[in-house]
Amino acid sequence: MNADYRSMWTDLGLDLEAHDALLSVLGKAYQDIYLSQKERPQGMGYFDSVMSDIHGLRIKELMDEKASGRKIIGSYCVFVPEELVLAANATLVGLCSGADFAMEEVERLLPRNTCALIKSLFGFKLGKVCPYLECADMVVGENTCDGKKKAYESLSDLLGNLYVMDLPQVKSTNGKAMLLDEYKRFKTALEKLTGATITAESLKESIRTVNAKRAAIHRLSTLRKADPAPISGLDALLANQILFFDNPVRFTESVNKLCDELEQRIEAKTGVFPKKTPRVLISGCPQAMPNWKLHMLVESAGAVIVGEESCVGERGTRNLIDESGETVEEMLEAITNRYFQVDCAIFTPNAERLEHIQQMVAEYKADGVIHYGLLFCQPYLIEAIPVEKALEEEQIPCLRIETDYSMEDLGQLKTRVEAFVEQLG
Amino acid sequence: MRFAGIDIGSRTIELVVVDKNLQVVDTLQADTGFDPIAEARKLISEVRYDRIMATGYGRNLFEISFDAPTVTEIKAHARGARAMFPDAQTILDIGGQDSKAIALFENGKVKKFEMNDRCAAGTGKFLEIMARTLGYAIEDFGCGALMAEQDLNISSMCTVFAESEVTSLIAKGKSREEIARGLHSSVIRRAIGMINRVSSSGNIVFTGGVAKNPCLRQLLAEKLGRDVQVPDDPQMVGAFGAALLAAEII
Ligand code: SF4
Ligand code: SF4
């Protein structure tokens, strides 16, 4: 089987040697961080198998889909509506950008003080190690932060199939109208690429599919409110990361199955950590696969993460789309209504985000919040300061972290995280 | 029963032993060297105790080698400083390669803390290198600086840049004392920034080996306008706090 994969990877233009190195580092990290956890739910077995074959089976499926005429769309942001992609007979995959790769080459194209996420999306391209990126027929970039906006100009030269979606920065009537327009433009681009027409029927169907996926992940989040926590933050993060590239229907089933098991655990009052373990909410920049650094530090310091206020987490998955629309037009509006509520820090002002953080602290009974900021990410780092202040005014301890994907600051971060956990205990 | 606390820092290791009344019976210190665990082993073989708690950046190494519980420097300093000064509200600790500010609740628990980032700017290491550049023994550096009438502004916080700035000031014939005082002021500016991020009023307990420097103590009180207290053995506070926490384990 592995041999088939190798020829598939070669056909995709991957650098096999670099790719082997990536997979072995990834496998080792997964082993150390994930498989060493205690009391893992059995339902995580599915996610383990996805991980152990991350560039194999799923890529094979995508290649088969391509062979049958479906198109693959890659995306870097939760503003790209999967509903439209599915309705146009295409498949959406989130491109990870959660690890450093080919940094020297990256720094020839980007300034050093660019956030790790942006550097990583260049690294995966330049290092020729991401089969998801290579199999995509269209890659969608979005005008969110300035870093990404400008970086897409350079990335476009490397990719050749980059489609840039414009996004509003203000939650106004005009802003919403613009988002709707952009979604219409995207719909046309998709139809042109796939040759399919998005109909009321296909769109309704795809809205249902994606709603079901989000409902399943909401169910998982809700179960994390229990004390003792039935699942570790690391495992829940993994499910949220896999959501970005797995087959949506199979993913939904697997999450629901996991939730059935977690409900039994809650019933039996068992969990992954003892009752009264300090509970932490993470808030801030997205933690893309395979960025497990902070979760690992927090949970090995003896706390449990009960939620992620992040695009790989609740900010990305909150709210379902109203299913009552009957025409394509109505459904496009419903889609816009849902996505327009995403409270990314690129919006100004962005008061909803703080409200959501406070609400999550209360609902998940978090004892404290760790604000996770990637170095050089202005939108989130700037927003972190008023967020911290507001939380502390309510006596909610908050730790602001600024870091990247390297392991250089691990010792110092560990001390800070451990001291914060002591503070909560 | 006797309880020990060991603080394994990047430059030195401190060991404090307290008796059942929590009175200090032993204090020992050694350089960390390149093999902290060997040094730690030597130190603990010289004292008698029933339980030990480790803190400092080497705490996890110690935990693995001696199967001992650990606590972060933050909590250890909070505990130690409170025991010495029952009304301590904020702690400034400047050690060999790191510095931190810790605000406490009324009940002594940690309310908020800040740590310096990855580099040595504003720490003991910075002062050591600057003292050497100016030809002072580290013990005399603070007294030398106190003799100056005014500060010479030093703009670089980075150890490497500050060193060349100092060299060029010497070349320009500036007074050694004034340069020294300028360097002390820059360390204090940084420390004050950190303190202000965790607390805006109340007294400060200044700990860590660097607190022995008289010029820093004076500048801190002067520039902050808050009451500054320094324990007799400021470098022992972390180890002392760890010993007290070892006694509290049930
Ligand atoms: S943080 Fe903002 S830019 Fe990044 S994925 Fe989320 S919505 Fe998109
Ligand atoms: S982490 Fe911040 S800087 Fe980086 S892409 Fe996201 S919003 Fe932009």
Side-chain angles (χ1 to χ4, degrees):
Chain A
M1 122 196 136
N2 212 352
D4 287 355
Y5 289 161
R6 294 189 82 80
S7 66
M8 174 174 81
W9 293 332
T10 315
D11 293 345
L12 282 168
L14 297 192
D15 174 341
L16 282 191
E17 205 175 308
H19 183 252
D20 283 346
L22 174 73
L23 285 191
S24 93
V25 172
L26 189 64
K28 171 87 175 51
Y30 194 72
Q31 183 91 29
D32 292 350
I33 297 173
Y34 273 89
L35 302 181
S36 64
Q37 295 182 93
K38 296 199 183 78
E39 309 292 335
R40 291 183 83 207
Q42 291 194 332
M44 285 311 294
Y46 169 73
F47 302 94
D48 285 340
S49 70
V50 171
M51 277 309 292
S52 68
D53 207 10
I54 186 165
H55 284 181
L57 190 62
R58 182 66 184 138
I59 296 297
K60 175 83 174 54
E61 287 176 354
L62 295 175
M63 295 308 283
D64 291 347
E65 287 184 12
K66 275 167 80 95
S68 74
R70 252 178 111 86
K71 299 289 178 190
I72 310 297
I73 314 293
S75 108
Y76 292 117
C77 173
V78 301
F79 268 101
V80 179
E82 184 172 12
E83 295 80 358
L84 290 179
V85 174
L86 291 177
N89 194 28
T91 296
L92 186 75
V93 290
L95 300 166
C96 311
S97 43
D100 289 337
F101 214 84
M103 282 300 257
E104 274 174 36
E105 280 181 75
V106 172
E107 287 186 0
R108 258 185 268 149
L109 296 178
L110 293 171
R112 288 196 77 128
N113 53 356
T114 307
C115 91
L117 212 135
I118 299 177
K119 281 187 185 158
S120 171
L121 57 99
F122 275 64
F124 278 86
K125 179 65 205 173
L126 293 166
K128 303 195 191 84
V129 287
C130 178
Y132 291 92
L133 178 60
E134 301 306 331
C135 80
D137 298 287
M138 177 203 255
V139 175
V140 187
E142 23 42 66
N143 290 340
T144 43
C145 66
D146 285 353
K148 269 180 157 183
K149 229 168 10 200
K150 297 308 286 183
Y152 288 138
E153 293 172 11
S154 314
L155 190 66
S156 173
D157 298 338
L158 300 177
L159 291 183
N161 59 356
L162 185 73
Y163 171 96
V164 178
M165 180 182 280
D166 201 11
L167 287 183
Q169 311 234 314
V170 180
K171 299 267 172 96
S172 59
T173 323
N174 283 348
K176 197 187 232 174
M178 172 190 171
L179 187 63
L180 176 61
D181 274 350
E182 276 300 302
Y183 284 171
K184 286 183 180 160
R185 189 170 71 90
F186 183 50
K187 170 176 168 286
T188 313
L190 284 169
E191 288 174 331
K192 188 163 161 247
L193 178 78
T194 62
T197 308
I198 296 181
T199 62
E201 235 184 347
S202 66
L203 194 50
K204 199 169 187 82
E205 169 76 29
S206 70
I207 289 177
R208 284 213 186 102
T209 305
V210 184
N211 269 353
K213 173 163 97 166
R214 294 205 181 104
I217 210 85
H218 293 171
R219 185 176 163 209
L220 175 62
S221 311
T222 306
L223 297 174
R224 296 170 76 186
K225 293 176 184 169
D227 185 18
I231 183 169
S232 67
L234 271 166
D235 279 335
L237 173 67
L238 186 72
N240 274 286
Q241 290 173 330
I242 288 178
L243 166 141
F244 282 83
F245 57 88
D246 200 10
N247 172 294
V249 176
R250 186 177 53 210
F251 176 84
T252 306
E253 276 168 18
S254 309
V255 171
N256 277 323
K257 220 192 273 156
L258 173 66
C259 290
D260 294 341
E261 183 188 349
L262 299 186
E263 275 167 3
Q264 287 170 8
R265 285 189 164 198
I266 295 173
E267 186 87 16
K269 299 195 163 49
T270 57
V272 275
F273 295 99
K275 207 173 156 66
K276 300 247 155 65
T277 296
R279 300 163 69 85
V280 173
L281 176 75
I282 304 293
S283 170
C285 292
Q287 287 160 312
M289 175 82 81
N291 176 8
W292 303 309
K293 185 173 162 182
L294 182 60
H295 276 60
M296 172 198 73
L297 279 174
V298 173
E299 296 201 327
S300 51
V304 56
I305 292 176
V306 292
E308 294 81 23
E309 190 282 319
S310 154
C311 279
V312 182
E314 226 163 292
R315 188 188 318 122
T317 56
R318 188 181 285 128
N319 302 322
L320 300 183
I321 291 173
D322 176 7
E323 291 185 11
S324 66
E326 292 301 335
T327 63
V328 171
E329 202 56 37
E330 284 168 0
M331 286 186 254
L332 274 169
E333 285 211 19
I335 291 174
T336 308
N337 285 339
R338 189 247 159 214
Y339 284 91
F340 198 57
Q341 294 178 62
V342 173
D343 46 357
C344 172
I346 63 125
F347 283 94
T348 181
N350 191 33
E352 299 89 342
R353 179 164 165 242
L354 175 60
E355 284 163 24
H356 278 136
I357 298 172
Q358 289 163 326
Q359 191 186 325
M360 286 180 77
V361 168
E363 282 180 9
Y364 295 89
K365 298 184 224 65
D367 300 304
V369 175
I370 298 186
H371 191 285
Y372 174 76
L374 284 174
L375 278 166
F376 314 119
C377 166
Q378 284 183 339
Y380 282 95
L381 294 184
I382 293 178
E383 212 165 274
I385 296 172
V387 163
E388 175 186 48
K389 189 159 166 272
L391 292 174
E392 283 175 352
E393 273 164 15
E394 294 177 21
Q395 265 57 269
I396 301 164
C398 180
L399 176 70
R400 258 193 300 134
I401 276 179
E402 290 174 23
T403 184
D404 55 20
Y405 297 161
S406 77
M407 294 296 151
E408 266 171 43
D409 60 347
L410 214 58
Q412 217 241 11
L413 271 187
K414 188 167 171 357
T415 300
R416 295 185 62 198
V417 165
E418 283 180 8
F420 186 66
V421 172
E422 287 171 351
Q423 196 182 326
L424 303 180
Chain B
M1 292 279 270
R2 285 172 156 227
F3 307 97
I6 187 161
D7 181 354
I8 306 178
S10 54
R11 322 265 302 147
T12 55
I13 303 179
E14 287 82 26
L15 177 68
V16 169
V17 182
V18 299
D19 63 16
K20 66 177 193 314
N21 301 318
L22 307 182
Q23 296 305 308
V24 175
V25 288
D26 281 308
T27 61
L28 295 175
Q29 188 174 28
D31 283 341
T32 306
F34 62 90
D35 186 355
I37 288 307
E39 292 300 329
R41 181 171 286 123
K42 224 184 287 163
L43 280 186
I44 56 177
S45 70
E46 289 171 31
V47 295
R48 197 166 53 71
Y49 59 82
D50 300 281
R51 194 185 300 137
I52 188 164
M53 172 98 88
T55 188
Y57 105 108
R59 66 186 180 283
N60 297 112
L61 279 179
F62 192 87
E63 178 181 20
I64 296 164
S65 308
F66 301 96
D67 191 25
T70 62
V71 63
T72 64
E73 301 89 292
I74 315 285
K75 188 169 175 182
H77 273 88
R79 187 68 188 87
R82 245 318 152 93
M84 290 168 167
F85 301 98
D87 66 341
Q89 291 171 313
T90 304
I91 300 157
L92 171 69
D93 171 64
I94 307 186
Q97 267 176 31
D98 70 358
S99 53
K100 45 193 162 297
I102 311 163
L104 303 181
F105 282 114
E106 291 277 322
N107 66 8
K109 281 187 66 175
V110 173
K111 185 171 172 191
K112 190 168 177 61
F113 63 90
E114 280 281 337
M115 284 173 77
N116 67 328
D117 40 34
R118 311 173 198 193
C119 77
T123 66
K125 182 84 194 166
F126 174 84
L127 286 165
E128 223 172 85
I129 291 174
M130 296 307 139
R132 201 185 316 136
T133 311
L134 284 170
Y136 283 105
I138 186 73
E139 309 78 52
D140 306 330
F141 197 28
C143 294
L146 277 177
M147 283 162 49
E149 312 229 306
Q150 55 166 25
D151 293 2
L152 261 180
N153 186 38
I154 310 282
S155 52
S156 317
M157 275 313 297
C158 160
T159 312
V160 180
F161 289 137
E163 197 175 7
S164 51
E165 203 175 334
V166 166
T167 319
S168 85
L169 288 171
I170 299 173
K172 282 188 194 140
K174 300 288 182 194
S175 122
R176 189 164 82 123
E177 287 77 18
E178 289 181 1
I179 303 175
R181 198 176 148 108
L183 287 162
H184 282 73
S185 289
S186 82
V187 169
I188 288 302
R189 264 202 306 278
R190 202 180 163 96
I192 287 178
M194 214 157 45
I195 291 172
N196 284 337
R197 286 199 292 278
V198 302
S199 85
S200 53
S201 61
N203 63 31
I204 310 284
V205 174
F206 188 8
T207 68
V210 171
K212 286 194 245 174
N213 180 312
C215 182
L216 289 176
R217 293 205 298 250
Q218 185 185 321
L219 287 175
L220 182 66
E222 238 173 66
K223 303 212 169 169
L224 198 57
R226 288 159 72 172
D227 192 23
V228 174
Q229 293 164 311
V230 183
D232 290 337
D233 278 324
Q235 76 281 13
M236 292 294 176
V237 176
F240 176 52
L244 297 179
L245 289 165
E248 284 162 18
I249 296 177
I250 12 155

